[in-house]
Amino acid sequence: MPLWGDDDRRAQGDVISVVLLLAITIAGATAVVALGGDAIGGIQQSATTGAAEQSMTQLDSKASLVAHGGSDTQRVRLVGSSGATRRVEADAGWMNISVYNASTGDFEYEITNTTLGAVVYRDGDTSVAYQGGGIWRRSGNGSAMVSPPEFHYRGTTLTLPLVSVGGDERLDGEVVVRRSSDPTAVYPDEDSDRANPLDEGVVVITVGSEYYDAWGRFFEQRTSGEVSIHHGNRTARTELVVPFETEFDNVVASTSAGGISANPGPPPEPYRDGVVQPSADDVIESHIEECQTDPDACVDETESDFDTGDMDGGETYFFDGDYGGDLSIDTSDGNVSVVVDGDFDAGDVDVTGGNSTTWYVREDFSVSGDVNPDGPASQLRVLVHSDGDVSFNGNYLFVGFVYAPGSDVDLNGGGGPGTNFEGGLVGDTIDVNGQPNDFEYDPSVGTIDLDVSASNAPRITYLHVSVTEIEVDED
């Protein structure tokens, strides 16, 4: 083999190496340029979006001054990307405030249904908006709050100075903010009977908006209550419960119109049908959840050797399932709670001491013995979930108060000497069967302070709502 052939192959290898090195260098440089360009573009996008947020925050401050009487007009410069659009979207978003029946969930009346409008900065799939007195940002499929809206919830008072935005469809550079009308008081309303304090119901606040999910998270943070976010119609909703003032002045009362029947009649006196009483479902479920999740909150009688003599003041006793039998409850050292996540069939029950005992029953509640025979009725309160029914059978004696506004109640039996039922009872429907089956109203139940709202349900007693219209126009 000639020696020159080896030299030729080595020369070809050197050329290939150089070519490969150049190719790798070019590819690397191209990648660096491409990735660097994307990074620079991302930084620029973030910077311009941040500038737009800052100018929108300034707009928020200026609009607040105008809407709430601090100034007649204000000017602000809207900045951001040169390729972005800035405009007033007068029909963007709305807020509805309505009151619902706490017992049935039925709609009662509407306080306001206000179109919020918005001043919107849009750059590609990113938008920043002033709406409802807050600043919101949407990018892709999610939104976030930049600054909070005009929604002030403290204690049991909600103040909502709503701002509705109109003006030039397209904005550029410096804009002028003007108030186009004086604030209109929506609640309380001097021309109607809608006044503070609220006496009953559930106040439901619903927002429809491009930024609905951020509104929902704001409601969760601010009210610490139940909030529902609906992606299908892009709404967020929160509920505020009016603390219910209990007035129990009947031995039997039904929440259904014509819900009381007696065989033989007439119904026991005093009675009333068609009363409005909120459900106890939330507070019952809240107590069950607390007992199941917090081992220190309740004495779990399911897992211990049960002794009725151990039920004393200051404790909550939990039955994780059905319970039937006798009880002995001593309230000398404080109130006693009994939580039953199932059916509760009460036999003979003695209640002593100067405090009260409250029973929370998830399913059916029945009585077949003598319950709290020495009274008074106000020291025994029984709350029954709407999923359960109530029945009293045989030659029973019950002294107490039963609150079951969503339940069917059967009072059967009687026949013994004296009164069978002493106190008060609220049910959805009430059937009284048997003779004599005697009833006696105990006025002490009229003084019961019964809170049937869940412990985490946000309360509302005072509501202040006004609407102010402002215009945002080019200077």
Side-chain angles (χ1 to χ4, degrees):
M1 182 73 65
L3 294 176
W4 59 264
D6 292 336
D7 293 338
D8 184 52
R9 283 192 294 273
R10 283 195 295 272
Q12 290 177 356
D14 291 341
V15 172
I16 293 172
S17 298
V18 171
V19 171
L20 289 174
L21 180 59
L22 288 172
I24 293 172
T25 302
I26 293 170
T30 302
V32 168
V33 170
L35 293 175
D38 290 342
I40 292 172
I43 293 172
Q44 291 175 337
Q45 174 72 25
S46 178
T48 55
T49 301
E53 290 179 3
Q54 290 180 356
S55 68
M56 282 292 188
T57 302
Q58 291 178 351
L59 173 65
D60 181 8
S61 177
K62 304 289 188 181
S64 181
L65 285 173
V66 171
H68 306 311
S71 174
D72 292 333
T73 61
Q74 289 285 317
R75 286 177 168 78
V76 64
R77 177 169 291 278
L78 301 181
V79 299
S81 170
S82 59
T85 61
R86 304 160 188 83
R87 66 177 64 243
V88 172
E89 298 180 2
D91 59 350
W94 50 268
M95 178 180 289
N96 181 280
I97 305 173
S98 295
V99 176
Y100 288 78
N101 186 294
S103 178
T104 65
D106 294 338
F107 172 82
E108 293 282 349
Y109 61 89
E110 181 180 88
I111 293 175
T112 186
N113 189 37
T114 299
T115 300
L116 298 174
V119 179
V120 185
Y121 166 95
R122 295 191 186 277
D123 186 10
D125 66 350
T126 298
S127 65
V128 181
Y130 165 77
Q131 182 182 72
I135 306 299
W136 316 88
R137 180 183 66 250
R138 173 165 289 278
S139 181
N141 295 323
S143 66
M145 182 183 70
V146 178
S147 65
E150 296 286 358
F151 184 102
H152 310 289
Y153 179 64
R154 297 289 185 275
T156 60
T157 299
L158 174 63
T159 303
L160 273 173
L162 296 178
V163 178
S164 179
V165 181
D168 287 344
E169 182 176 343
R170 189 174 184 86
L171 305 171
D172 191 17
E174 190 168 70
V175 299
V176 178
V177 183
R178 299 182 178 88
R179 187 170 64 240
S180 54
S181 68
D182 291 331
T184 301
V186 176
Y187 197 100
D189 184 1
E190 295 180 354
D191 296 330
S192 70
D193 58 355
R194 298 176 185 176
N196 285 316
L198 296 159
D199 55 2
E200 64 181 22
V202 179
V203 178
V204 177
I205 302 167
T206 307
V207 172
S209 170
E210 179 180 348
Y211 313 95
Y212 69 97
D213 46 342
W215 273 98
R217 289 190 294 273
F218 169 76
F219 287 154
E220 289 173 342
Q221 296 167 2
R222 187 56 56 91
T223 65
S224 300
E226 182 176 352
V227 174
S228 54
I229 298 175
H230 302 280
H231 300 287
N233 58 9
R234 307 211 302 180
T235 61
R237 165 179 169 143
T238 186
E239 299 181 3
L240 305 176
V241 178
V242 179
F244 188 76
E245 296 294 332
T246 55
E247 294 181 2
F248 305 116
D249 50 8
N250 297 280
V251 67
V252 290
S254 69
T255 55
S256 292
I260 301 175
S261 63
N263 182 27
E269 296 280 357
Y271 74 92
R272 184 181 174 190
D273 58 14
V275 300
V276 176
Q277 301 282 4
S279 165
D281 295 357
D282 285 345
V283 70
I284 295 171
E285 293 172 8
S286 177
H287 279 285
I288 291 173
E289 181 180 5
E290 182 180 30
C291 290
Q292 291 176 335
T293 57
D294 185 354
D296 298 326
C298 309
V299 178
D300 191 341
E301 295 298 348
T302 308
E303 299 178 357
S304 63
D305 294 330
F306 181 55
D307 182 355
T308 59
D310 290 339
M311 303 188 79
D312 52 21
E315 295 285 0
T316 296
Y317 296 89
F318 177 54
F319 295 89
D320 191 7
D322 299 341
Y323 176 74
D326 302 336
L327 293 176
S328 178
I329 301 173
D330 184 359
T331 70
S332 299
D333 295 330
N335 297 331
V336 174
S337 296
V338 178
V339 181
V340 182
D341 189 14
D343 296 340
F344 187 3
D345 182 10
D348 291 331
V349 179
D350 290 324
V351 182
T352 58
N355 294 293
S356 65
T357 179
T358 304
W359 302 348
Y360 302 91
V361 184
R362 182 61 178 82
E363 300 294 343
D364 294 343
F365 174 66
S366 57
V367 171
S368 55
D370 291 344
V371 177
N372 190 32
D374 297 325
S378 59
Q379 74 176 359
L380 172 60
R381 304 96 182 265
V382 183
L383 278 63
V384 183
H385 197 282
S386 298
D387 290 343
D389 293 329
V390 177
S391 61
F392 288 51
N393 300 288
N395 186 21
Y396 67 89
L397 169 60
F398 179 89
V399 181
F401 180 72
V402 178
Y403 188 83
S407 304
D408 293 329
V409 180
D410 288 322
L411 303 170
N412 304 305
T419 300
N420 298 109
F421 185 100
E422 180 179 342
L425 182 147
V426 176
D428 181 21
T429 62
I430 301 173
D431 290 327
V432 183
N433 297 287
Q435 184 69 29
N437 210 359
D438 290 333
F439 294 79
E440 181 179 335
Y441 174 68
D442 184 342
S444 72
V445 303
T447 65
I448 291 177
D449 182 13
L450 192 65
D451 187 356
V452 296
S453 301
S455 59
N456 64 341
R459 272 54 164 191
I460 183 170
T461 303
Y462 294 91
L463 177 63
H464 303 276
V465 182
S466 63
V467 178
T468 304
E469 297 179 0
I470 65 170
E471 299 282 333
V472 180
D473 304 305
E474 286 190 347
D475 193 6

